[in-house]
Amino acid sequence: MVAVRLPDTLADSTPINLDVMRGVGVGILAVAAVRPLVPFEFVPPCPLRTVTGVPCPFCGMTRGVTAAVHADLGRAVFLNPGSVVAVVLAVLVLVAWRRKRLDLPVWSIAVVLGLLWSWQLFKYATGRPL
């Protein structure tokens, strides 16, 4: 058997400060909780989609997180599957308050972005609403 070796940049890991992520988690959960009550849209449109018409990996994330926080998981997954993951991770980071740092492999970030973008491009190519 031949062992496959990842390039050094993909084999590296990046440290994530969980104290900062706790603040981000509280922020996204709070905004998602009150967003339906705001009478106007305060989130700017996606720059990539505005310029090219092609959705980015994060298109639908704000609406998806809002749907997930309000327990509409089917809509959240349809808008962007990463939105449900973001809500779950935000809650987990808040619950695991003793943990200070997380080392995340760089390749996992590339895989997640690739999967999210594949979903968005599938929706775009098949005419489903973004």
Side-chain angles (χ1 to χ4, degrees):
M1 277 191 118
V2 176
V4 177
R5 186 168 167 0
L6 291 173
D8 288 339
T9 56
L10 290 178
D12 290 342
S13 64
T14 182
I16 297 175
N17 183 348
L18 293 183
D19 290 333
V20 172
M21 287 295 109
R22 282 183 189 85
V24 172
V26 167
I28 68 167
L29 295 174
V31 168
V34 299
R35 188 172 165 260
L37 303 174
V38 178
F40 58 90
E41 189 59 59
F42 56 88
V43 179
C46 172
L48 179 66
R49 187 169 170 206
T50 301
V51 172
T52 66
V54 177
C56 78
F58 300 110
C59 278
M61 188 69 87
T62 304
R63 292 174 291 149
V65 167
T66 301
V69 166
H70 291 276
D72 190 356
L73 297 180
R75 178 163 168 76
V77 168
F78 175 76
L79 289 168
N80 192 322
S83 59
V84 176
V85 175
V87 170
V88 169
L89 289 176
V91 171
L92 285 177
V93 167
L94 291 173
V95 171
W97 57 272
R98 288 186 176 184
R99 188 104 191 229
K100 298 294 181 198
R101 191 180 100 171
L102 176 68
D103 289 325
L104 195 62
V106 172
W107 64 264
S108 65
I109 298 169
V111 168
V112 168
L113 287 175
L115 290 172
L116 289 177
W117 208 359
S118 297
W119 174 250
Q120 294 301 337
L121 293 176
F122 169 75
K123 287 188 343 182
Y124 178 72
T126 56
R128 288 174 172 78
L130 299 172

